[in-house]
Amino acid sequence: LDECGANAQLHAAVASALFDPGLLDLPPQLAFIWAQLQRRMGALPSRLGRVQRYASVAGDAPLQLRWRLKPSPHAAALRYDAEMIDATGQLCLRIIDGESTMSTALSRLSPGLRDRKD
């Protein structure tokens, strides 16, 4: 995790022929963590932009989530692209122009991060 984005390791819990819609929740969750650690704000999802699915994900397969910040015209808007890549390096899912709305008031959703002293 740095000022440009974050990487996360995750595991899908679906059979290979299915799509787990819970995967779509992971980039906004990472946006919330990023906003807390980098800006001391909370961030709630406001849109996903475009979602592209390229491949099925094997059940309990490890995935790499690559989340990258994009420029935003509004200070309160956190814009990003996210990619989920399987263990073979194949792109499985991409979210383009995801967006979350940041606010210091939303920090109350994660008091442990809000109150840290670094």
Side-chain angles (χ1 to χ4, degrees):
L1 188 135
D2 64 20
E3 66 278 352
C4 298
N7 291 338
Q9 198 69 24
L10 51 109
H11 289 270
V14 297
S16 60
L18 301 175
F19 174 72
D20 181 358
L23 293 174
L24 296 176
D25 187 46
L26 297 172
Q29 293 292 335
L30 194 51
F32 184 90
I33 292 167
W34 186 93
Q36 282 284 308
L37 295 174
Q38 293 292 318
R39 306 269 173 88
R40 293 194 183 268
M41 293 189 216
L44 292 180
S46 50
R47 69 183 221 120
L48 287 179
R50 185 172 48 188
V51 176
Q52 298 172 318
R53 182 175 170 230
Y54 296 96
S56 295
V57 176
D60 201 33
L63 294 172
Q64 178 75 227
L65 171 56
R66 296 179 185 164
W67 184 93
R68 299 295 177 261
L69 192 63
K70 296 176 76 170
S72 175
H74 306 289
L78 182 60
R79 292 186 59 220
Y80 59 87
D81 290 338
E83 296 179 334
M84 292 183 200
I85 299 160
D86 70 14
T88 69
Q90 181 176 3
L91 179 61
C92 297
L93 182 73
R94 176 181 284 153
I95 295 174
I96 300 169
D97 292 331
E99 190 171 301
S100 293
T101 302
M102 292 188 299
S103 160
T104 54
L106 293 171
S107 292
R108 75 183 186 288
L109 299 174
S110 183
L113 289 173
R114 179 193 66 216
D115 298 334
R116 60 172 230 260
K117 310 278 191 232
D118 49 85

mmCIF file of all heavy atoms in Angstrom, residues 50-73:
data_model
loop_
_atom_site.group_PDB
_atom_site.id
_atom_site.type_symbol
_atom_site.label_atom_id
_atom_site.label_comp_id
_atom_site.label_asym_id
_atom_site.label_seq_id
_atom_site.Cartn_x
_atom_site.Cartn_y
_atom_site.Cartn_z
ATOM 1 N N ARG A 50 -16.943 0.573 -15.245
ATOM 2 C CA ARG A 50 -17.110 -0.583 -16.131
ATOM 3 C C ARG A 50 -16.480 -1.815 -15.493
ATOM 4 O O ARG A 50 -15.365 -1.761 -14.977
ATOM 5 C CB ARG A 50 -16.445 -0.285 -17.476
ATOM 6 C CG ARG A 50 -16.656 -1.356 -18.495
ATOM 7 C CD ARG A 50 -16.160 -0.953 -19.841
ATOM 8 N NE ARG A 50 -14.811 -0.391 -19.726
ATOM 9 C CZ ARG A 50 -14.172 0.194 -20.722
ATOM 10 N NH1 ARG A 50 -14.728 0.323 -21.890
ATOM 11 N NH2 ARG A 50 -12.963 0.662 -20.541
ATOM 12 N N VAL A 51 -17.196 -2.936 -15.560
ATOM 13 C CA VAL A 51 -16.695 -4.207 -15.049
ATOM 14 C C VAL A 51 -16.494 -5.144 -16.227
ATOM 15 O O VAL A 51 -17.401 -5.333 -17.038
ATOM 16 C CB VAL A 51 -17.693 -4.835 -14.042
ATOM 17 C CG1 VAL A 51 -17.205 -6.194 -13.583
ATOM 18 C CG2 VAL A 51 -17.913 -3.902 -12.860
ATOM 19 N N GLN A 52 -15.291 -5.714 -16.334
ATOM 20 C CA GLN A 52 -14.980 -6.656 -17.408
ATOM 21 C C GLN A 52 -14.536 -7.970 -16.790
ATOM 22 O O GLN A 52 -13.606 -7.984 -15.977
ATOM 23 C CB GLN A 52 -13.865 -6.107 -18.305
ATOM 24 C CG GLN A 52 -14.250 -4.825 -18.998
ATOM 25 C CD GLN A 52 -13.080 -4.198 -19.731
ATOM 26 O OE1 GLN A 52 -11.969 -4.163 -19.231
ATOM 27 N NE2 GLN A 52 -13.353 -3.707 -20.934
ATOM 28 N N ARG A 53 -15.186 -9.052 -17.170
ATOM 29 C CA ARG A 53 -14.824 -10.382 -16.687
ATOM 30 C C ARG A 53 -14.150 -11.123 -17.832
ATOM 31 O O ARG A 53 -14.702 -11.253 -18.915
ATOM 32 C CB ARG A 53 -16.073 -11.123 -16.229
ATOM 33 C CG ARG A 53 -15.770 -12.484 -15.682
ATOM 34 C CD ARG A 53 -17.038 -13.115 -15.122
ATOM 35 N NE ARG A 53 -16.780 -14.495 -14.823
ATOM 36 C CZ ARG A 53 -17.541 -15.494 -15.214
ATOM 37 N NH1 ARG A 53 -18.625 -15.262 -15.916
ATOM 38 N NH2 ARG A 53 -17.229 -16.718 -14.897
ATOM 39 N N TYR A 54 -12.952 -11.634 -17.581
ATOM 40 C CA TYR A 54 -12.172 -12.288 -18.618
ATOM 41 C C TYR A 54 -12.107 -13.801 -18.464
ATOM 42 O O TYR A 54 -11.948 -14.519 -19.428
ATOM 43 C CB TYR A 54 -10.741 -11.735 -18.630
ATOM 44 C CG TYR A 54 -10.693 -10.281 -18.996
ATOM 45 C CD1 TYR A 54 -10.640 -9.301 -18.009
ATOM 46 C CD2 TYR A 54 -10.702 -9.878 -20.319
ATOM 47 C CE1 TYR A 54 -10.605 -7.964 -18.329
ATOM 48 C CE2 TYR A 54 -10.664 -8.534 -20.653
ATOM 49 C CZ TYR A 54 -10.614 -7.584 -19.652
ATOM 50 O OH TYR A 54 -10.591 -6.264 -19.977
ATOM 51 N N ALA A 55 -12.159 -14.290 -17.242
ATOM 52 C CA ALA A 55 -12.001 -15.719 -16.994
ATOM 53 C C ALA A 55 -12.706 -16.105 -15.707
ATOM 54 O O ALA A 55 -12.899 -15.283 -14.818
ATOM 55 C CB ALA A 55 -10.511 -16.070 -16.894
ATOM 56 N N SER A 56 -13.062 -17.363 -15.616
ATOM 57 C CA SER A 56 -13.631 -17.893 -14.379
ATOM 58 C C SER A 56 -12.532 -18.026 -13.341
ATOM 59 O O SER A 56 -11.358 -18.153 -13.668
ATOM 60 C CB SER A 56 -14.259 -19.260 -14.633
ATOM 61 O OG SER A 56 -15.362 -19.120 -15.503
ATOM 62 N N VAL A 57 -12.945 -18.028 -12.099
ATOM 63 C CA VAL A 57 -12.010 -18.164 -10.990
ATOM 64 C C VAL A 57 -12.245 -19.522 -10.345
ATOM 65 O O VAL A 57 -13.376 -19.863 -10.003
ATOM 66 C CB VAL A 57 -12.225 -17.033 -9.962
ATOM 67 C CG1 VAL A 57 -11.329 -17.224 -8.767
ATOM 68 C CG2 VAL A 57 -11.994 -15.679 -10.615
ATOM 69 N N ALA A 58 -11.187 -20.310 -10.212
ATOM 70 C CA ALA A 58 -11.311 -21.624 -9.576
ATOM 71 C C ALA A 58 -11.622 -21.465 -8.096
ATOM 72 O O ALA A 58 -11.171 -20.518 -7.455
ATOM 73 C CB ALA A 58 -10.021 -22.418 -9.765
ATOM 74 N N GLY A 59 -12.397 -22.398 -7.548
ATOM 75 C CA GLY A 59 -12.760 -22.358 -6.134
ATOM 76 C C GLY A 59 -11.528 -22.323 -5.245
ATOM 77 O O GLY A 59 -10.592 -23.078 -5.449
ATOM 78 N N ASP A 60 -11.518 -21.427 -4.283
ATOM 79 C CA ASP A 60 -10.427 -21.245 -3.331
ATOM 80 C C ASP A 60 -9.077 -20.982 -3.993
ATOM 81 O O ASP A 60 -8.025 -21.292 -3.458
ATOM 82 C CB ASP A 60 -10.328 -22.440 -2.372
ATOM 83 C CG ASP A 60 -9.572 -22.073 -1.101
ATOM 84 O OD1 ASP A 60 -9.672 -20.908 -0.673
ATOM 85 O OD2 ASP A 60 -8.860 -22.933 -0.571
ATOM 86 N N ALA A 61 -9.112 -20.424 -5.182
ATOM 87 C CA ALA A 61 -7.878 -20.101 -5.899
ATOM 88 C C ALA A 61 -7.310 -18.779 -5.391
ATOM 89 O O ALA A 61 -8.054 -17.834 -5.144
ATOM 90 C CB ALA A 61 -8.156 -19.986 -7.395
ATOM 91 N N PRO A 62 -5.990 -18.690 -5.227
ATOM 92 C CA PRO A 62 -5.417 -17.399 -4.828
ATOM 93 C C PRO A 62 -5.515 -16.395 -5.976
ATOM 94 O O PRO A 62 -5.335 -16.745 -7.134
ATOM 95 C CB PRO A 62 -3.963 -17.743 -4.511
ATOM 96 C CG PRO A 62 -3.677 -18.984 -5.279
ATOM 97 C CD PRO A 62 -4.978 -19.721 -5.401
ATOM 98 N N LEU A 63 -5.819 -15.180 -5.630
ATOM 99 C CA LEU A 63 -5.896 -14.089 -6.596
ATOM 100 C C LEU A 63 -5.065 -12.922 -6.096
ATOM 101 O O LEU A 63 -4.953 -12.702 -4.899
ATOM 102 C CB LEU A 63 -7.339 -13.609 -6.779
ATOM 103 C CG LEU A 63 -8.327 -14.564 -7.409
ATOM 104 C CD1 LEU A 63 -9.727 -13.984 -7.321
ATOM 105 C CD2 LEU A 63 -7.954 -14.826 -8.857
ATOM 106 N N GLN A 64 -4.537 -12.159 -7.006
ATOM 107 C CA GLN A 64 -3.842 -10.918 -6.694
ATOM 108 C C GLN A 64 -4.778 -9.779 -7.086
ATOM 109 O O GLN A 64 -5.269 -9.740 -8.217
ATOM 110 C CB GLN A 64 -2.536 -10.831 -7.490
ATOM 111 C CG GLN A 64 -1.759 -9.569 -7.295
ATOM 112 C CD GLN A 64 -1.044 -9.507 -5.965
ATOM 113 O OE1 GLN A 64 -1.125 -8.497 -5.301
ATOM 114 N NE2 GLN A 64 -0.343 -10.544 -5.578
ATOM 115 N N LEU A 65 -5.067 -8.887 -6.170
ATOM 116 C CA LEU A 65 -5.866 -7.698 -6.456
ATOM 117 C C LEU A 65 -4.900 -6.528 -6.579
ATOM 118 O O LEU A 65 -4.168 -6.219 -5.639
ATOM 119 C CB LEU A 65 -6.881 -7.444 -5.337
ATOM 120 C CG LEU A 65 -7.649 -6.123 -5.373
ATOM 121 C CD1 LEU A 65 -8.380 -5.929 -6.687
ATOM 122 C CD2 LEU A 65 -8.606 -6.039 -4.197
ATOM 123 N N ARG A 66 -4.891 -5.925 -7.746
ATOM 124 C CA ARG A 66 -4.058 -4.736 -7.988
ATOM 125 C C ARG A 66 -4.993 -3.538 -8.105
ATOM 126 O O ARG A 66 -5.784 -3.444 -9.039
ATOM 127 C CB ARG A 66 -3.241 -4.908 -9.259
ATOM 128 C CG ARG A 66 -2.260 -6.038 -9.156
ATOM 129 C CD ARG A 66 -1.480 -6.224 -10.421
ATOM 130 N NE ARG A 66 -0.619 -7.391 -10.322
ATOM 131 C CZ ARG A 66 -0.064 -7.979 -11.356
ATOM 132 N NH1 ARG A 66 -0.257 -7.508 -12.567
ATOM 133 N NH2 ARG A 66 0.691 -9.034 -11.177
ATOM 134 N N TRP A 67 -4.881 -2.635 -7.155
ATOM 135 C CA TRP A 67 -5.758 -1.474 -7.035
ATOM 136 C C TRP A 67 -4.914 -0.230 -7.244
ATOM 137 O O TRP A 67 -3.943 -0.014 -6.517
ATOM 138 C CB TRP A 67 -6.387 -1.505 -5.643
ATOM 139 C CG TRP A 67 -7.389 -0.457 -5.340
ATOM 140 C CD1 TRP A 67 -8.731 -0.547 -5.500
ATOM 141 C CD2 TRP A 67 -7.139 0.833 -4.785
ATOM 142 N NE1 TRP A 67 -9.335 0.613 -5.073
ATOM 143 C CE2 TRP A 67 -8.362 1.471 -4.639
ATOM 144 C CE3 TRP A 67 -5.975 1.514 -4.412
ATOM 145 C CZ2 TRP A 67 -8.489 2.749 -4.131
ATOM 146 C CZ3 TRP A 67 -6.096 2.794 -3.909
ATOM 147 C CH2 TRP A 67 -7.337 3.396 -3.773
ATOM 148 N N ARG A 68 -5.258 0.594 -8.254
ATOM 149 C CA ARG A 68 -4.453 1.771 -8.582
ATOM 150 C C ARG A 68 -5.302 3.032 -8.601
ATOM 151 O O ARG A 68 -6.342 3.102 -9.253
ATOM 152 C CB ARG A 68 -3.771 1.613 -9.943
ATOM 153 C CG ARG A 68 -2.809 0.441 -10.011
ATOM 154 C CD ARG A 68 -1.624 0.653 -9.070
ATOM 155 N NE ARG A 68 -0.713 -0.476 -9.066
ATOM 156 C CZ ARG A 68 -0.695 -1.435 -8.157
ATOM 157 N NH1 ARG A 68 -1.534 -1.427 -7.153
ATOM 158 N NH2 ARG A 68 0.186 -2.424 -8.223
ATOM 159 N N LEU A 69 -4.821 4.023 -7.892
ATOM 160 C CA LEU A 69 -5.468 5.320 -7.805
ATOM 161 C C LEU A 69 -5.386 6.043 -9.144
ATOM 162 O O LEU A 69 -4.386 5.936 -9.860
ATOM 163 C CB LEU A 69 -4.764 6.139 -6.722
ATOM 164 C CG LEU A 69 -5.421 7.407 -6.250
ATOM 165 C CD1 LEU A 69 -6.761 7.101 -5.601
ATOM 166 C CD2 LEU A 69 -4.508 8.115 -5.269
ATOM 167 N N LYS A 70 -6.443 6.789 -9.462
ATOM 168 C CA LYS A 70 -6.483 7.605 -10.677
ATOM 169 C C LYS A 70 -6.731 9.068 -10.282
ATOM 170 O O LYS A 70 -7.312 9.318 -9.224
ATOM 171 C CB LYS A 70 -7.618 7.139 -11.590
ATOM 172 C CG LYS A 70 -7.432 5.735 -12.116
ATOM 173 C CD LYS A 70 -8.620 5.281 -12.927
ATOM 174 C CE LYS A 70 -8.580 5.935 -14.290
ATOM 175 N NZ LYS A 70 -9.567 5.357 -15.199
ATOM 176 N N PRO A 71 -6.318 9.999 -11.119
ATOM 177 C CA PRO A 71 -6.614 11.411 -10.829
ATOM 178 C C PRO A 71 -8.129 11.635 -10.764
ATOM 179 O O PRO A 71 -8.889 11.012 -11.493
ATOM 180 C CB PRO A 71 -6.008 12.163 -12.014
ATOM 181 C CG PRO A 71 -5.043 11.218 -12.632
ATOM 182 C CD PRO A 71 -5.543 9.838 -12.342
ATOM 183 N N SER A 72 -8.523 12.532 -9.872
ATOM 184 C CA SER A 72 -9.934 12.843 -9.719
ATOM 185 C C SER A 72 -10.121 14.356 -9.715
ATOM 186 O O SER A 72 -9.346 15.064 -9.086
ATOM 187 C CB SER A 72 -10.461 12.255 -8.414
ATOM 188 O OG SER A 72 -11.794 12.643 -8.214
ATOM 189 N N PRO A 73 -11.164 14.850 -10.380
ATOM 190 C CA PRO A 73 -11.406 16.300 -10.381
ATOM 191 C C PRO A 73 -11.943 16.814 -9.048
ATOM 192 O O PRO A 73 -11.932 18.011 -8.804
ATOM 193 C CB PRO A 73 -12.445 16.479 -11.487
ATOM 194 C CG PRO A 73 -13.136 15.162 -11.583
ATOM 195 C CD PRO A 73 -12.115 14.125 -11.210
#
